Amino acid sequence: MTPPHVIVAPLLVALVTAVVTLVARPYPRMVRAVSGLGGVGYAVAVGGLVAALSADADGYLVYALAAWDAPFGIVLVADALSAFFLVLAAIVGLAAVVFSTGYLDAETASLSYHSLFHFMLVGITGAFLTGDLFNLFVWFEVMLMASYVLVVYYSGPEHTRAALHYTVLNLLGSAVMLLAVGGLYAVTGTLNMADMAARLAAGSVDPAPVVGLSALLFAVFALKAGIVPFQFWVPGAYRAAPAPVTAVLAGVVKKVGIYAIVRVYFTILSGATVGVDLPLVAGDSVLGFFGPVMFVMAVGSILLGGVGAVNQPDMDGLLAYSSIGQVGFIVLPLAVAAAAPFGSPLMRLGLVAALVYSLNHGLAKGVLFLSVGVLRRGVGSDDFADLGGLSERDPAFAGAFFLGALALVGIPPLSGFFGKFLVLDAGVRAGSTPVLTVALVGAVFTIAYFSRAWNRTFWGEPVEYDPQPRLVTVVAILAVGLVVVGIGFEPVAAAAEAAARAAVDRSGYIDAVLGVEA
C-alpha cells in the first residue's frame, strides 16, 4: 500500500513553503532561498507521486483525510490524468519561482510575493487531486485568492483596474459554481465525484436538472480557462501581473479549468443519459450535449484570439490574445471527443490531442511570458515601438523566444508539432471539415502574429539593452524543454494516453475511491 504522505506531499511542500516565506518576510534573501528550495521540493514531491502511481497496479492512489472513507469523508485521488497536469505545474512553477528570485527586487519581493505564489500553487495542486466536487470549489478559491493579489501586485491604476475586473468576474463565477455544486448535491445526494458518477451511471437520478446544473458548472470552468465568451479578464490580468505570475496564469492556472472539464464531464457526468437523441453527437449522454457547445467556443476562441493578437501594440497584449486562441486548440479536440461514442478510439484520440496541446501550451507560454520579463528588465518596455534588433544584442534570448514561438506554430521537432498534428488527426478521423478548417485558420493566425512579434522585437535597428543572463538562462532551459519533449515524445505520448484512459475509466475511478464495482 502506498504511504499517504506520497499523495499529500506536493500539497504539504507548497503549503509549508508559503508559510515559511511569509514568516521570513523581514529577511528577503532567506525568502528567496526558501522559495527556490520550495519550488525544487515541489517538483521532487510531484516526481515521487508519479513514481508511486506508476508502481501501483491499479493506477490510482487514494487518501481519505482524517480516515473518513468516501463518500462521507474528503478524499484525495491521484491518477494518470491528475499526474499529467501536476507535472506541468511542477515544471512551469519551478521555472517561474527561479525566474522570480532574479526578476523582482528585494523590496518588491518582500511584500509577500513568494508566499502568495506558493499559496496559488497550493490551490492548483488541491484542484488536481481532490475527489470531492465541493472541495474543487474550495481549491479554486485558494488558487484565485492568491492570484487576485498577484494580479494587482504593482498597485498602479491600470493594475488595480485589471485586478478589479479579474476579481469581480471570478467572484461571480465562484458564486455560480457554488450554486451549481449545491444543486447537484440536492439532485444526486452526494458531493463525492466517484459516488456521483456511480449514481448517475446507475440511472437513479433525474437527468434533466443535471444537464442544466452542469451547464452552469461548465460556464465557470470555461471562465477559469479563459475560453470565449468568458475571456474578458485575460488581456488586462496578463498585462497587469508580474511576468512570472503571468507565465503560471497562462501555463498552469488555465489548465485547472481544462482539467476540471475533463474530470467532471468525461469521468463523472458521462454516465448520465438525457433520454433523447442529440444532433451532431453519438448517443444520448450528458457529455454529448456539450460537444457542439465546446466546438462553438473553440471556434470563437481561435478566431477572436487570432484577430486580437495580430493587432496588439505590445508583446504582453499579443501573448494574452494568443493565449485565448491557443486554448481554443485545446477545446477543439475536446469537442470531437465529447461528440464521439463513449470510450471509443476517437474519444481517446481527442483527449490525447487536448492533453498534449495543453502540455505544449503550458511550456511554450511559460517561455514567452518569461521572455516579456526579460524585455521589461533589459529594455524597460515590451511595446513594439521600443524594441528591435535584440537578436544581435542577445542571441541566446532570441533563440529561446524563437523556440517558444515555433512550438505554438507547430514546427517539428518541437512538442507543438505533435500537439497540432494530433488536433488535425482528430478532425480527420472524425471526418469533420469544420474542425480542420478552424484548425488551419488558427494556424495561419499563429504564424502571422508571431512573425510580427519576431520582426518587431528581434530584427531591425538594435535598441539599448541591458543583458539579463540569469533570467535568460531560465527562459533558455525551459525552451530546451520544448525540444526535449518533441525529440523524446514517446514517453510523453504514453503519459497522455494513460491520462486519456483514466479520464474515461469511470468504473476504475469508482472502484478505486469507493471500493465497489461500478
Side-chain angles (χ1 to χ4, degrees):
M1 178 178 292
T2 302
H5 69 264
V6 174
I7 307 173
V8 300
L11 264 175
L12 290 177
V13 170
L15 180 59
V16 169
T17 304
V19 172
V20 173
T21 51
L22 184 62
V23 173
R25 278 179 57 189
Y27 310 99
R29 293 182 65 181
M30 180 183 293
V31 168
R32 291 196 295 270
V34 171
S35 182
L37 289 174
V40 173
Y42 180 82
V44 171
V46 169
L49 175 59
V50 172
L53 196 60
S54 301
D56 188 86
D58 298 324
Y60 291 92
L61 302 177
V62 181
Y63 174 55
L65 275 68
W68 281 72
D69 293 332
F72 307 106
I74 299 171
V75 294
L76 300 178
V77 185
D79 62 3
L81 179 62
S82 55
F84 189 89
F85 284 99
L86 281 171
V87 169
L88 174 61
I91 295 172
V92 178
L94 177 59
V97 165
V98 175
F99 190 92
S100 297
T101 59
Y103 180 71
L104 299 173
D105 57 62
E107 180 180 358
T108 304
S110 68
L111 301 175
S112 301
Y113 170 88
H114 290 279
S115 298
L116 291 165
F117 188 97
H118 288 281
F119 274 123
M120 183 169 65
L121 204 56
V122 169
I124 291 168
T125 308
F128 288 148
L129 289 176
T130 186
D132 181 277
L133 200 56
F134 177 75
N135 280 280
L136 180 62
F137 164 78
V138 171
W139 290 120
F140 268 22
E141 292 309 294
V142 173
M143 173 184 73
L144 290 170
M145 281 190 292
S147 68
Y148 296 152
V149 184
L150 289 170
V151 168
V152 75
Y153 199 75
Y154 289 131
S155 67
E158 180 182 351
H159 309 92
T160 303
R161 184 168 53 251
L164 181 63
H165 198 185
Y166 174 61
T167 302
V168 169
L169 282 173
N170 278 280
L171 285 177
L172 179 62
S174 298
V176 173
M177 183 176 181
L178 193 58
L179 177 66
V181 170
L184 286 171
Y185 176 67
V187 171
T188 64
T190 185
L191 290 170
N192 181 273
M193 292 182 181
D195 195 30
M196 188 178 293
R199 297 186 186 199
L200 291 172
S204 59
V205 175
D206 182 5
V210 173
V211 173
L213 292 166
S214 63
L216 290 178
L217 209 56
F218 185 84
V220 176
F221 296 157
L223 173 67
K224 308 304 182 188
I227 307 167
V228 168
F230 305 103
Q231 81 297 340
F232 308 106
W233 60 271
V234 173
Y238 284 13
R239 279 193 173 104
V245 173
T246 306
V248 176
L249 289 175
V252 182
V253 171
K254 274 194 169 189
K255 306 310 178 299
V256 176
I258 297 297
Y259 168 81
I261 290 173
V262 175
R263 174 63 76 203
V264 172
Y265 293 87
F266 286 83
T267 308
I268 301 172
L269 299 179
S270 58
T273 57
V274 295
V276 295
D277 291 330
L278 298 170
L280 306 177
V281 302
D284 57 355
S285 74
V286 170
L287 171 62
F289 173 83
F290 290 95
V293 176
M294 291 184 194
F295 175 73
V296 172
M297 296 174 79
V299 172
S301 298
I302 290 172
L303 296 181
L304 177 66
V307 172
V310 297
N311 290 306
Q312 293 305 303
D314 53 27
M315 185 69 79
D316 240 358
L318 183 148
L319 293 179
Y321 277 95
S322 166
S323 187
I324 295 171
Q326 294 300 317
V327 168
F329 277 102
I330 299 172
V331 180
L332 195 61
L334 282 182
V336 173
F342 187 78
S344 65
L346 179 58
M347 176 176 280
R348 290 197 297 273
L349 174 61
L351 286 167
V352 169
L355 292 167
V356 171
Y357 209 97
S358 293
L359 176 64
N360 174 68
H361 178 261
L363 296 176
K365 270 302 189 296
V367 169
L368 296 171
F369 276 113
L370 292 181
S371 295
V372 173
V374 175
L375 292 175
R376 289 175 178 170
R377 284 289 173 268
V379 180
S381 171
D382 66 315
D383 290 344
F384 291 131
D386 301 325
L387 303 176
L390 293 186
S391 60
E392 296 182 22
R393 299 291 191 191
D394 196 337
F397 173 47
F401 182 93
F402 194 59
L403 288 175
L406 290 184
L408 289 179
V409 171
I411 302 298
L414 302 174
S415 57
F417 167 75
F418 296 98
K420 275 284 184 9
F421 174 81
L422 289 168
V423 171
L424 293 172
D425 190 28
V428 170
R429 292 180 186 272
S432 176
T433 301
V435 169
L436 293 173
T437 302
V438 171
L440 291 174
V441 170
V444 172
F445 271 123
T446 306
I447 294 171
Y449 58 69
F450 275 124
S451 295
R452 178 171 177 262
W454 175 263
N455 292 339
R456 299 293 296 272
T457 305
F458 295 97
W459 284 356
E461 187 68 25
V463 297
E464 291 296 324
Y465 174 71
D466 181 17
Q468 304 290 314
R470 182 177 176 181
L471 302 183
V472 170
T473 299
V474 177
V475 177
I477 291 173
L478 194 56
V480 169
L482 295 167
V483 181
V484 172
V485 170
I487 294 176
F489 185 68
E490 187 173 348
V492 176
E497 289 169 2
R501 287 195 300 271
V504 298
D505 185 16
R506 185 170 58 245
S507 61
Y509 188 83
I510 294 171
D511 184 39
V513 176
L514 302 180
V516 297
E517 295 291 340

